Amino acid sequence: MMQVIDIEWTDTEQQLAKSVFEKAYDREVKALIAQVHQKISQLNDVQDMWQLHDFLSIQRHTIDGKYDGRDSALLFVFAQLLQEGWVTMDELTGLSTDKIKKIGALTRM
Amino acid sequence: MMQVIDIEWTDTEQQLAKSVFEKAYDREVKALIAQVHQKISQLNDVQDMWQLHDFLSIQRHTIDGKYDGRDSALLFVFAQLLQEGWVTMDELTGLSTDKIKKIGALTRM
């Protein structure tokens, strides 16, 4: 089995991870805010309003859960962010080859 | 103690109550939708978005709880709607004098 949990992160890698994380978070949140503005332009009745509420409940839960900054979670989070398009492989330049390979393998799982 | 739970409602009174209820609900929801549009016009970051989510959670819970159509709850609900301005005393014309008095007493509690 691929070892992904107890992997070591250097200080430089942790800084890179943090910065990529923040960029991805900003992008995702900006896209979400645009979606909310879009939904509001079509918000006319109480059903629309509770649908917006449900939408926000789900998004908040998803985003809060996804951006887990613990070392043991980072490879999984990066794989997910790559799949979803919030991060590009280029932005991970600076991580060890081993980590890049593992992230790549996780995106194909 | 004022007896308010087991009070009898005639068919005519029930119809009136239903109609006043629906009008109050419509007014309250319309005001809420306007508030949401207002909040969205100032929604710029993730904090604003989660504040909107919290606001909607509270409003949904409050409104779902408030519009309790059971006979045993009606006097209390009308007293609350009067206090909040979603219903006027005039609109309750047609209820028995006894009920009007009880509703009035509840608004002063």
Side-chain angles (χ1 to χ4, degrees):
Chain A
M1 208 182 111
M2 185 167 71
Q3 193 256 334
V4 288
I5 304 287
D6 297 326
I7 205 163
E8 295 269 316
W9 291 73
T10 66
D11 285 353
T12 318
E13 284 179 323
Q14 275 175 339
Q15 278 168 21
L16 174 68
K18 189 168 178 288
S19 137
V20 173
F21 232 58
E22 285 169 2
K23 264 186 263 177
Y25 181 80
D26 279 351
R27 286 172 193 152
E28 185 161 4
V29 162
K30 276 211 182 84
L32 185 54
I33 289 174
Q35 258 188 297
V36 170
H37 279 281
Q38 175 63 25
K39 280 181 188 293
I40 284 287
S41 68
Q42 294 151 358
L43 190 157
N44 297 310
D45 60 27
V46 70
Q47 276 75 31
D48 296 337
M49 191 160 54
W50 300 157
Q51 268 174 23
L52 172 67
H53 178 245
D54 289 338
F55 174 79
L56 288 172
S57 299
I58 293 165
Q59 295 298 326
R60 190 174 191 171
H61 181 77
T62 305
I63 289 183
D64 282 355
K66 194 192 318 187
Y67 288 89
D68 183 342
R70 287 170 298 176
D71 283 4
S72 60
L74 280 177
L75 293 182
F76 295 102
V77 180
F78 281 134
Q80 186 179 357
L81 293 173
L82 279 165
Q83 281 177 316
E84 294 174 350
W86 301 117
V87 164
T88 63
M89 265 297 182
D90 279 356
E91 291 178 306
L92 300 182
T93 308
L95 296 185
S96 69
T97 315
D98 180 47
K99 288 192 187 64
I100 299 276
K101 271 192 194 154
K102 283 177 173 166
I103 293 171
L106 286 170
T107 64
R108 290 185 295 277
M109 269 176 161
Chain B
M1 208 184 113
M2 186 167 68
Q3 193 256 333
V4 289
I5 305 287
D6 296 326
I7 205 163
E8 294 269 318
W9 291 73
T10 66
D11 286 353
T12 318
E13 284 179 324
Q14 276 177 339
Q15 278 169 22
L16 174 68
K18 189 168 179 289
S19 139
V20 173
F21 231 59
E22 285 169 1
K23 264 187 264 177
Y25 181 81
D26 278 352
R27 285 171 194 154
E28 185 161 3
V29 162
K30 276 211 183 86
L32 185 54
I33 289 173
Q35 256 189 297
V36 171
H37 278 280
Q38 175 63 24
K39 280 181 189 293
I40 287 284
S41 70
Q42 294 153 357
L43 190 157
N44 298 311
D45 60 28
V46 70
Q47 277 75 29
D48 296 338
M49 192 160 54
W50 300 157
Q51 269 174 24
L52 172 66
H53 177 246
D54 288 339
F55 175 78
L56 287 172
S57 298
I58 293 164
Q59 295 299 325
R60 191 174 191 171
H61 181 76
T62 306
I63 289 184
D64 283 355
K66 194 190 321 187
Y67 288 89
D68 183 341
R70 286 171 298 175
D71 283 4
S72 60
L74 281 176
L75 294 182
F76 295 102
V77 180
F78 281 134
Q80 187 179 357
L81 294 174
L82 279 165
Q83 282 179 315
E84 294 174 349
W86 301 118
V87 164
T88 63
M89 264 297 180
D90 280 355
E91 293 178 305
L92 300 182
T93 308
L95 297 184
S96 68
T97 316
D98 179 47
K99 289 191 185 65
I100 300 275
K101 271 190 194 156
K102 283 176 173 166
I103 293 171
L106 286 169
T107 63
R108 289 185 296 276
M109 268 175 159

